[in-house]
Amino acid sequence: MTLRQKAEVANRTVIGEFILLGFGNDPELQTLLFLVFLVIYVVTMVGNILLVVLVVADRRLHTPMYFFLGNLSCLETCYSSAILPRLLASLLTGDGTVSVPGCMVQFYCVGFLVCTECYLLAAMSFDRYLAICKPLRYAALMTSRFCLRFAAWSWILAFVASTLTFSWMSQSAFCGHKEIDHFFCDFNPLIERSCDNSSLITRLSIIITSIVVPFPFLLTLMSYICIITTILKIPSYTGRKRAFSTCSSHLIVVTIFYSTLTVVYILPEDHMLKDLNKVLSLCYTVLTPLANPLIYSLRNKEVTEALRKILHGFMVLMGIQKS
């Protein structure tokens, strides 16, 4: 490194906060987006918490599929709370400022929850694979102990992978301009602001991602290849429709999640694609947690019946109290 380059490095000012640009600064657009995201956040939280309550309260939902769905709903409430409250505050006040430590915490939470969701979706797809392709062995393989272990390892592996990446990122100093053209603290915008040699962190994160993420993705993919192959072999249309209905809700969630997540991190870092990147990021960070309870409640008879039972009990209780 030349003396001039050393001087430029020395003169770079380390920043202590970022400014998340979000979706622009048009007051009318900010107000509209605030109302939209507020409704999304309330519906997401109510829907996912209600799903957890239904899974715990109704014995008919004490099955492996709904055990993993309960885990997923817990995760989605945390996921939405890691992103939307900060976004709502920014839209309401017009101030997108966030401290570097606060940004790093959000980055860690989002990374941890995304990784965990990959494993939980894989567990649910494997459950559907056994139910459709290996029905006689389903009860023997999908035991309560196996489900607990799978769920526990999903959270543990995601925690380890996210903590390693976070520990390396947290040692970096950030410099340059404060503005980040995004609505939350994501990996790529942060690594662009690093004063240090970011190539090492990037390589390490790629190594960790290539070790941790492909397994749940491949398990999900192979499960659905086998499921679709088995369904197509069913001779009757009614049988094929009944078999597909048991996994259609999960397949919709998986498709939305993986398709948008993959495109976001495959797209080149181009200024013209930043708006598209933000829209697609909304799909897996905001719309997937919203879609999860809506899809499972509207397309699933067991959940609908459990909800009707809870509402009936509540109405009876209110009637007793009034009398």
Side-chain angles (χ1 to χ4, degrees), residues 257-305:
F257 178 76
Y258 273 113
S259 59
T260 55
L261 185 66
T262 302
V263 173
V264 164
Y265 289 102
I266 285 180
L267 281 176
E269 291 297 314
D270 186 270
H271 179 73
M272 300 296 293
L273 296 174
K274 283 189 179 294
D275 290 337
L276 177 61
N277 187 297
K278 282 191 282 189
V279 172
L280 293 175
S281 296
L282 277 174
C283 291
Y284 78 86
T285 59
V286 176
L287 296 185
T288 300
L290 172 66
N292 178 50
L294 294 178
I295 290 173
Y296 279 104
S297 60
L298 294 176
R299 297 178 60 88
N300 195 295
K301 292 182 179 179
E302 289 86 354
V303 174
T304 306
E305 287 296 325

CSV table of all heavy atoms in Angstrom, one decimal, residues 257-305:
chain,number,residue,atom,x,y,z
A,257,PHE,N,-41.3,-18.2,-0.2
A,257,PHE,CA,-40.1,-17.9,0.6
A,257,PHE,C,-38.8,-18.2,-0.2
A,257,PHE,O,-38.0,-17.3,-0.3
A,257,PHE,CB,-40.1,-18.8,1.8
A,257,PHE,CG,-38.9,-18.7,2.7
A,257,PHE,CD1,-38.7,-17.6,3.5
A,257,PHE,CD2,-37.9,-19.6,2.7
A,257,PHE,CE1,-37.6,-17.5,4.3
A,257,PHE,CE2,-36.8,-19.5,3.5
A,257,PHE,CZ,-36.6,-18.4,4.3
A,258,TYR,N,-38.6,-19.3,-0.8
A,258,TYR,CA,-37.4,-19.7,-1.5
A,258,TYR,C,-37.2,-18.9,-2.8
A,258,TYR,O,-36.1,-18.5,-3.1
A,258,TYR,CB,-37.3,-21.2,-1.7
A,258,TYR,CG,-36.7,-21.9,-0.6
A,258,TYR,CD1,-37.4,-22.8,0.2
A,258,TYR,CD2,-35.4,-21.7,-0.2
A,258,TYR,CE1,-36.9,-23.5,1.2
A,258,TYR,CE2,-34.8,-22.4,0.9
A,258,TYR,CZ,-35.6,-23.3,1.6
A,258,TYR,OH,-35.0,-24.0,2.6
A,259,SER,N,-38.3,-18.7,-3.5
A,259,SER,CA,-38.1,-18.0,-4.8
A,259,SER,C,-37.7,-16.6,-4.6
A,259,SER,O,-36.7,-16.1,-5.3
A,259,SER,CB,-39.5,-18.1,-5.6
A,259,SER,OG,-40.5,-17.4,-4.9
A,260,THR,N,-38.3,-15.9,-3.7
A,260,THR,CA,-37.9,-14.5,-3.5
A,260,THR,C,-36.5,-14.4,-2.8
A,260,THR,O,-35.7,-13.5,-3.2
A,260,THR,CB,-38.9,-13.7,-2.6
A,260,THR,OG1,-39.1,-14.5,-1.4
A,260,THR,CG2,-40.2,-13.6,-3.4
A,261,LEU,N,-36.2,-15.2,-1.9
A,261,LEU,CA,-35.0,-15.2,-1.2
A,261,LEU,C,-33.8,-15.5,-2.1
A,261,LEU,O,-32.8,-14.9,-2.1
A,261,LEU,CB,-35.0,-16.3,0.0
A,261,LEU,CG,-33.7,-16.3,0.9
A,261,LEU,CD1,-33.6,-15.1,1.7
A,261,LEU,CD2,-33.8,-17.5,1.8
A,262,THR,N,-34.0,-16.5,-3.0
A,262,THR,CA,-33.0,-16.9,-4.0
A,262,THR,C,-32.7,-15.7,-5.0
A,262,THR,O,-31.5,-15.4,-5.2
A,262,THR,CB,-33.4,-18.1,-4.8
A,262,THR,OG1,-33.6,-19.2,-3.9
A,262,THR,CG2,-32.3,-18.5,-5.7
A,263,VAL,N,-33.8,-15.1,-5.5
A,263,VAL,CA,-33.6,-14.0,-6.5
A,263,VAL,C,-32.9,-12.8,-5.8
A,263,VAL,O,-32.0,-12.2,-6.5
A,263,VAL,CB,-35.0,-13.6,-7.1
A,263,VAL,CG1,-34.8,-12.4,-8.0
A,263,VAL,CG2,-35.6,-14.8,-7.9
A,264,VAL,N,-33.2,-12.5,-4.6
A,264,VAL,CA,-32.6,-11.3,-3.9
A,264,VAL,C,-31.1,-11.5,-3.8
A,264,VAL,O,-30.4,-10.5,-4.1
A,264,VAL,CB,-33.2,-11.1,-2.5
A,264,VAL,CG1,-32.4,-10.2,-1.7
A,264,VAL,CG2,-34.6,-10.6,-2.7
A,265,TYR,N,-30.6,-12.7,-3.5
A,265,TYR,CA,-29.2,-12.9,-3.2
A,265,TYR,C,-28.5,-13.3,-4.5
A,265,TYR,O,-27.2,-13.5,-4.4
A,265,TYR,CB,-29.0,-13.8,-2.1
A,265,TYR,CG,-29.4,-13.2,-0.8
A,265,TYR,CD1,-30.6,-13.5,-0.1
A,265,TYR,CD2,-28.6,-12.2,-0.2
A,265,TYR,CE1,-31.0,-12.8,1.0
A,265,TYR,CE2,-28.9,-11.6,1.0
A,265,TYR,CZ,-30.1,-11.9,1.6
A,265,TYR,OH,-30.5,-11.3,2.8
A,266,ILE,N,-29.2,-13.6,-5.6
A,266,ILE,CA,-28.5,-13.9,-6.8
A,266,ILE,C,-28.4,-12.7,-7.7
A,266,ILE,O,-27.5,-12.5,-8.5
A,266,ILE,CB,-29.3,-15.0,-7.6
A,266,ILE,CG1,-29.0,-16.4,-6.9
A,266,ILE,CG2,-28.9,-15.1,-9.0
A,266,ILE,CD1,-29.7,-17.5,-7.5
A,267,LEU,N,-29.4,-11.7,-7.6
A,267,LEU,CA,-29.3,-10.5,-8.4
A,267,LEU,C,-28.0,-9.8,-8.2
A,267,LEU,O,-27.5,-9.6,-7.1
A,267,LEU,CB,-30.5,-9.6,-8.0
A,267,LEU,CG,-31.9,-9.9,-8.6
A,267,LEU,CD1,-32.9,-8.9,-8.0
A,267,LEU,CD2,-31.9,-9.8,-10.1
A,268,PRO,N,-27.4,-9.2,-9.3
A,268,PRO,CA,-26.2,-8.5,-9.1
A,268,PRO,C,-26.4,-7.2,-8.4
A,268,PRO,O,-27.6,-6.6,-8.4
A,268,PRO,CB,-25.8,-8.2,-10.6
A,268,PRO,CG,-27.1,-8.3,-11.4
A,268,PRO,CD,-27.9,-9.3,-10.7
A,269,GLU,N,-25.4,-6.7,-7.8
A,269,GLU,CA,-25.5,-5.4,-7.0
A,269,GLU,C,-25.5,-4.2,-8.1
A,269,GLU,O,-24.5,-3.6,-8.3
A,269,GLU,CB,-24.3,-5.3,-6.1
A,269,GLU,CG,-24.4,-6.2,-4.9
A,269,GLU,CD,-25.6,-6.0,-4.0
A,269,GLU,OE1,-25.9,-4.8,-3.7
A,269,GLU,OE2,-26.3,-7.0,-3.7
A,270,ASP,N,-26.7,-4.0,-8.6
A,270,ASP,CA,-26.8,-2.9,-9.6
A,270,ASP,C,-27.8,-1.9,-9.1
A,270,ASP,O,-28.8,-2.2,-8.5
A,270,ASP,CB,-27.3,-3.5,-10.9
A,270,ASP,CG,-27.3,-2.5,-12.0
A,270,ASP,OD1,-28.4,-1.9,-12.2
A,270,ASP,OD2,-26.3,-2.4,-12.7
A,271,HIS,N,-27.5,-0.6,-9.4
A,271,HIS,CA,-28.3,0.5,-8.9
A,271,HIS,C,-29.7,0.4,-9.5
A,271,HIS,O,-30.7,0.7,-8.8
A,271,HIS,CB,-27.7,1.8,-9.3
A,271,HIS,CG,-28.5,3.0,-8.9
A,271,HIS,ND1,-28.6,3.4,-7.5
A,271,HIS,CD2,-29.3,3.9,-9.6
A,271,HIS,CE1,-29.4,4.5,-7.5
A,271,HIS,NE2,-29.8,4.8,-8.7
A,272,MET,N,-29.9,-0.1,-10.7
A,272,MET,CA,-31.1,-0.2,-11.4
A,272,MET,C,-32.0,-1.3,-10.8
A,272,MET,O,-33.2,-1.2,-10.9
A,272,MET,CB,-31.0,-0.4,-12.9
A,272,MET,CG,-30.2,0.6,-13.6
A,272,MET,SD,-31.0,2.2,-13.6
A,272,MET,CE,-32.5,1.8,-14.6
A,273,LEU,N,-31.4,-2.2,-10.1
A,273,LEU,CA,-32.1,-3.4,-9.5
A,273,LEU,C,-32.4,-3.2,-8.0
A,273,LEU,O,-33.0,-4.1,-7.4
A,273,LEU,CB,-31.3,-4.6,-9.7
A,273,LEU,CG,-31.1,-5.1,-11.2
A,273,LEU,CD1,-30.2,-6.3,-11.3
A,273,LEU,CD2,-32.5,-5.3,-11.9
A,274,LYS,N,-32.0,-2.1,-7.4
A,274,LYS,CA,-32.2,-1.9,-6.0
A,274,LYS,C,-33.7,-1.9,-5.6
A,274,LYS,O,-34.1,-2.4,-4.6
A,274,LYS,CB,-31.5,-0.6,-5.5
A,274,LYS,CG,-30.0,-0.8,-5.4
A,274,LYS,CD,-29.3,0.4,-4.7
A,274,LYS,CE,-27.8,0.2,-4.6
A,274,LYS,NZ,-27.5,-0.9,-3.6
A,275,ASP,N,-34.5,-1.2,-6.4
A,275,ASP,CA,-35.9,-1.1,-6.1
A,275,ASP,C,-36.6,-2.5,-6.2
A,275,ASP,O,-37.4,-2.9,-5.4
A,275,ASP,CB,-36.6,-0.2,-7.0
A,275,ASP,CG,-36.3,1.3,-6.8
A,275,ASP,OD1,-35.8,1.6,-5.6
A,275,ASP,OD2,-36.4,2.1,-7.7
A,276,LEU,N,-36.2,-3.3,-7.2
A,276,LEU,CA,-36.7,-4.7,-7.3
A,276,LEU,C,-36.2,-5.5,-6.2
A,276,LEU,O,-37.0,-6.3,-5.7
A,276,LEU,CB,-36.2,-5.3,-8.7
A,276,LEU,CG,-36.6,-6.7,-8.9
A,276,LEU,CD1,-38.1,-6.9,-8.9
A,276,LEU,CD2,-35.9,-7.2,-10.2
A,277,ASN,N,-35.0,-5.3,-5.8
A,277,ASN,CA,-34.4,-6.0,-4.6
A,277,ASN,C,-35.2,-5.8,-3.4
A,277,ASN,O,-35.5,-6.7,-2.6
A,277,ASN,CB,-33.0,-5.6,-4.4
A,277,ASN,CG,-32.3,-6.4,-3.4
A,277,ASN,OD1,-32.6,-6.4,-2.2
A,277,ASN,ND2,-31.2,-7.1,-3.8
A,278,LYS,N,-35.6,-4.5,-3.1
A,278,LYS,CA,-36.4,-4.2,-2.0
A,278,LYS,C,-37.8,-4.8,-2.0
A,278,LYS,O,-38.3,-5.3,-1.0
A,278,LYS,CB,-36.5,-2.6,-1.8
A,278,LYS,CG,-35.2,-2.0,-1.3
A,278,LYS,CD,-35.5,-0.6,-0.9
A,278,LYS,CE,-35.5,0.4,-2.1
A,278,LYS,NZ,-35.5,1.8,-1.7
A,279,VAL,N,-38.4,-4.8,-3.2
A,279,VAL,CA,-39.7,-5.4,-3.3
A,279,VAL,C,-39.7,-6.9,-3.1
A,279,VAL,O,-40.5,-7.4,-2.3
A,279,VAL,CB,-40.3,-5.1,-4.8
A,279,VAL,CG1,-41.6,-5.9,-5.0
A,279,VAL,CG2,-40.5,-3.6,-5.0
A,280,LEU,N,-38.7,-7.5,-3.6
A,280,LEU,CA,-38.6,-9.0,-3.4
A,280,LEU,C,-38.2,-9.3,-1.9
A,280,LEU,O,-38.7,-10.3,-1.4
A,280,LEU,CB,-37.5,-9.6,-4.3
A,280,LEU,CG,-37.9,-9.5,-5.8
A,280,LEU,CD1,-36.7,-10.0,-6.7
A,280,LEU,CD2,-39.1,-10.4,-6.1
A,281,SER,N,-37.4,-8.4,-1.3
A,281,SER,CA,-37.1,-8.6,0.1
A,281,SER,C,-38.3,-8.5,1.0
A,281,SER,O,-38.5,-9.1,2.0
A,281,SER,CB,-36.1,-7.5,0.5
A,281,SER,OG,-34.8,-7.7,-0.1
A,282,LEU,N,-39.3,-7.6,0.5
A,282,LEU,CA,-40.5,-7.5,1.3
A,282,LEU,C,-41.3,-8.8,1.3
A,282,LEU,O,-41.9,-9.2,2.2
A,282,LEU,CB,-41.4,-6.4,0.6
A,282,LEU,CG,-41.2,-5.0,1.0
A,282,LEU,CD1,-42.1,-4.1,0.1
A,282,LEU,CD2,-41.5,-4.8,2.5
A,283,CYS,N,-41.1,-9.6,0.2
A,283,CYS,CA,-41.9,-10.8,0.1
A,283,CYS,C,-41.5,-11.8,1.1
A,283,CYS,O,-42.3,-12.5,1.8
A,283,CYS,CB,-41.7,-11.4,-1.3
A,283,CYS,SG,-42.5,-10.5,-2.7
A,284,TYR,N,-40.2,-12.0,1.3
A,284,TYR,CA,-39.7,-13.1,2.3
A,284,TYR,C,-39.6,-12.5,3.7
A,284,TYR,O,-39.6,-13.3,4.6
A,284,TYR,CB,-38.4,-13.7,1.8
A,284,TYR,CG,-37.1,-13.0,2.0
A,284,TYR,CD1,-36.5,-13.1,3.2
A,284,TYR,CD2,-36.6,-12.2,1.0
A,284,TYR,CE1,-35.3,-12.4,3.5
A,284,TYR,CE2,-35.4,-11.5,1.2
A,284,TYR,CZ,-34.8,-11.6,2.5
A,284,TYR,OH,-33.6,-10.9,2.7
A,285,THR,N,-39.5,-11.2,3.9
A,285,THR,CA,-39.4,-10.7,5.2
A,285,THR,C,-40.7,-10.2,5.8
A,285,THR,O,-40.9,-10.3,7.0
A,285,THR,CB,-38.4,-9.5,5.3
A,285,THR,OG1,-38.9,-8.5,4.4
A,285,THR,CG2,-37.0,-9.9,4.9
A,286,VAL,N,-41.7,-9.8,5.0
A,286,VAL,CA,-42.9,-9.2,5.4
A,286,VAL,C,-44.1,-10.1,5.0
A,286,VAL,O,-45.0,-10.4,5.8
A,286,VAL,CB,-43.1,-7.8,5.0
A,286,VAL,CG1,-44.4,-7.2,5.4
A,286,VAL,CG2,-42.0,-6.9,5.5
A,287,LEU,N,-44.2,-10.4,3.7
A,287,LEU,CA,-45.4,-11.1,3.2
A,287,LEU,C,-45.4,-12.6,3.6
A,287,LEU,O,-46.5,-13.1,3.8
A,287,LEU,CB,-45.4,-11.0,1.7
A,287,LEU,CG,-45.6,-9.5,1.2
A,287,LEU,CD1,-45.7,-9.5,-0.3
A,287,LEU,CD2,-46.8,-8.8,1.8
A,288,THR,N,-44.3,-13.3,3.7
A,288,THR,CA,-44.3,-14.7,4.1
A,288,THR,C,-44.8,-14.8,5.5
A,288,THR,O,-45.7,-15.7,5.7
A,288,THR,CB,-42.9,-15.3,4.0
A,288,THR,OG1,-42.5,-15.2,2.6
A,288,THR,CG2,-42.9,-16.7,4.4
A,289,PRO,N,-44.4,-14.0,6.5
A,289,PRO,CA,-45.0,-14.2,7.8
A,289,PRO,C,-46.5,-13.8,7.8
A,289,PRO,O,-47.2,-14.4,8.6
A,289,PRO,CB,-44.2,-13.1,8.7
A,289,PRO,CG,-42.9,-13.0,8.0
A,289,PRO,CD,-43.2,-13.1,6.5
A,290,LEU,N,-46.9,-12.9,6.9
A,290,LEU,CA,-48.3,-12.6,6.8
A,290,LEU,C,-49.1,-13.8,6.2
A,290,LEU,O,-50.2,-14.1,6.6
A,290,LEU,CB,-48.5,-11.3,6.0
A,290,LEU,CG,-50.0,-11.0,5.6
A,290,LEU,CD1,-50.8,-10.6,6.9
A,290,LEU,CD2,-50.0,-9.8,4.6
A,291,ALA,N,-48.5,-14.3,5.1
A,291,ALA,CA,-49.2,-15.4,4.4
A,291,ALA,C,-49.3,-16.7,5.2
A,291,ALA,O,-50.3,-17.5,5.0
A,291,ALA,CB,-48.4,-15.7,3.1
A,292,ASN,N,-48.3,-17.0,6.0
A,292,ASN,CA,-48.3,-18.2,6.8
A,292,ASN,C,-49.6,-18.5,7.5
A,292,ASN,O,-50.3,-19.5,7.2
A,292,ASN,CB,-47.1,-18.2,7.7
A,292,ASN,CG,-47.1,-19.5,8.6
A,292,ASN,OD1,-47.2,-20.6,8.1
A,292,ASN,ND2,-46.9,-19.3,9.9
A,293,PRO,N,-50.1,-17.6,8.4
A,293,PRO,CA,-51.4,-18.0,9.1
A,293,PRO,C,-52.6,-17.9,8.2
A,293,PRO,O,-53.5,-18.7,8.3
A,293,PRO,CB,-51.5,-16.9,10.2
A,293,PRO,CG,-50.7,-15.8,9.7
A,293,PRO,CD,-49.5,-16.4,8.9
A,294,LEU,N,-52.6,-17.0,7.2
A,294,LEU,CA,-53.7,-16.9,6.3
A,294,LEU,C,-53.9,-18.1,5.4
A,294,LEU,O,-55.0,-18.7,5.3
A,294,LEU,CB,-53.6,-15.6,5.4
A,294,LEU,CG,-53.6,-14.3,6.1
A,294,LEU,CD1,-53.4,-13.2,5.1
A,294,LEU,CD2,-55.0,-14.1,6.8
A,295,ILE,N,-52.8,-18.6,4.8
A,295,ILE,CA,-52.8,-19.8,4.0
A,295,ILE,C,-53.2,-21.0,4.8
A,295,ILE,O,-54.1,-21.8,4.3
A,295,ILE,CB,-51.5,-20.0,3.3
A,295,ILE,CG1,-51.2,-18.9,2.3
A,295,ILE,CG2,-51.4,-21.4,2.6
A,295,ILE,CD1,-49.8,-18.9,1.7
A,296,TYR,N,-52.6,-21.2,5.9
A,296,TYR,CA,-52.9,-22.4,6.7
A,296,TYR,C,-54.3,-22.4,7.3
A,296,TYR,O,-55.0,-23.4,7.5
A,296,TYR,CB,-51.9,-22.6,7.8
A,296,TYR,CG,-50.6,-23.3,7.3
A,296,TYR,CD1,-49.5,-22.5,7.1
A,296,TYR,CD2,-50.6,-24.6,7.0
A,296,TYR,CE1,-48.3,-23.1,6.6
A,296,TYR,CE2,-49.4,-25.2,6.5
A,296,TYR,CZ,-48.3,-24.4,6.4
A,296,TYR,OH,-47.1,-25.0,5.9
A,297,SER,N,-54.8,-21.2,7.6
A,297,SER,CA,-56.2,-21.2,8.2
A,297,SER,C,-57.3,-21.3,7.2
A,297,SER,O,-58.3,-21.9,7.4
A,297,SER,CB,-56.3,-19.9,9.0
A,297,SER,OG,-56.2,-18.7,8.2
A,298,LEU,N,-57.0,-20.7,6.0
A,298,LEU,CA,-58.1,-20.7,4.9
A,298,LEU,C,-58.1,-22.0,4.2
A,298,LEU,O,-59.1,-22.4,3.6
A,298,LEU,CB,-57.8,-19.5,4.0
A,298,LEU,CG,-58.0,-18.1,4.5
A,298,LEU,CD1,-57.6,-17.1,3.5
A,298,LEU,CD2,-59.4,-17.9,5.0
A,299,ARG,N,-57.0,-22.7,4.1
A,299,ARG,CA,-56.9,-23.9,3.3
A,299,ARG,C,-56.9,-25.2,4.1
A,299,ARG,O,-56.6,-26.3,3.5
A,299,ARG,CB,-55.7,-23.8,2.4
A,299,ARG,CG,-55.7,-22.7,1.4
A,299,ARG,CD,-54.4,-22.7,0.5
A,299,ARG,NE,-54.3,-23.9,-0.2
A,299,ARG,CZ,-54.8,-24.1,-1.4
A,299,ARG,NH1,-55.5,-23.2,-2.0
A,299,ARG,NH2,-54.6,-25.3,-2.0
A,300,ASN,N,-57.1,-25.1,5.4
A,300,ASN,CA,-56.9,-26.3,6.2
A,300,ASN,C,-58.1,-26.5,7.1
A,300,ASN,O,-58.5,-25.6,7.9
A,300,ASN,CB,-55.6,-26.1,7.1
A,300,ASN,CG,-55.2,-27.4,7.7
A,300,ASN,OD1,-55.9,-28.0,8.5
A,300,ASN,ND2,-54.0,-27.9,7.4
A,301,LYS,N,-58.8,-27.6,6.9
A,301,LYS,CA,-60.0,-27.8,7.7
A,301,LYS,C,-59.8,-28.0,9.2
A,301,LYS,O,-60.6,-27.6,10.0
A,301,LYS,CB,-60.7,-29.1,7.1
A,301,LYS,CG,-61.3,-28.9,5.7
A,301,LYS,CD,-62.0,-30.2,5.2
A,301,LYS,CE,-62.5,-30.0,3.8
A,301,LYS,NZ,-63.2,-31.2,3.3
A,302,GLU,N,-58.7,-28.7,9.5
A,302,GLU,CA,-58.4,-28.9,11.0
A,302,GLU,C,-58.2,-27.6,11.7
A,302,GLU,O,-58.8,-27.4,12.8
A,302,GLU,CB,-57.2,-29.8,11.1
A,302,GLU,CG,-57.3,-31.2,10.8
A,302,GLU,CD,-57.1,-31.4,9.3
A,302,GLU,OE1,-56.9,-30.5,8.6
A,302,GLU,OE2,-57.1,-32.6,8.9
A,303,VAL,N,-57.5,-26.6,11.1
A,303,VAL,CA,-57.3,-25.3,11.7
A,303,VAL,C,-58.6,-24.6,11.7
A,303,VAL,O,-58.9,-23.9,12.8
A,303,VAL,CB,-56.2,-24.5,10.9
A,303,VAL,CG1,-56.1,-23.1,11.5
A,303,VAL,CG2,-54.9,-25.2,11.0
A,304,THR,N,-59.4,-24.6,10.7
A,304,THR,CA,-60.7,-23.9,10.6
A,304,THR,C,-61.6,-24.4,11.7
A,304,THR,O,-62.3,-23.7,12.4
A,304,THR,CB,-61.3,-24.1,9.3
A,304,THR,OG1,-60.4,-23.7,8.2
A,304,THR,CG2,-62.6,-23.3,9.2
A,305,GLU,N,-61.6,-25.8,11.9
A,305,GLU,CA,-62.5,-26.4,12.9
A,305,GLU,C,-62.0,-26.0,14.3
A,305,GLU,O,-62.8,-25.7,15.2
A,305,GLU,CB,-62.5,-27.9,12.8
A,305,GLU,CG,-63.3,-28.4,11.6
A,305,GLU,CD,-64.8,-28.1,11.7
A,305,GLU,OE1,-65.3,-28.1,12.8
A,305,GLU,OE2,-65.4,-27.8,10.6
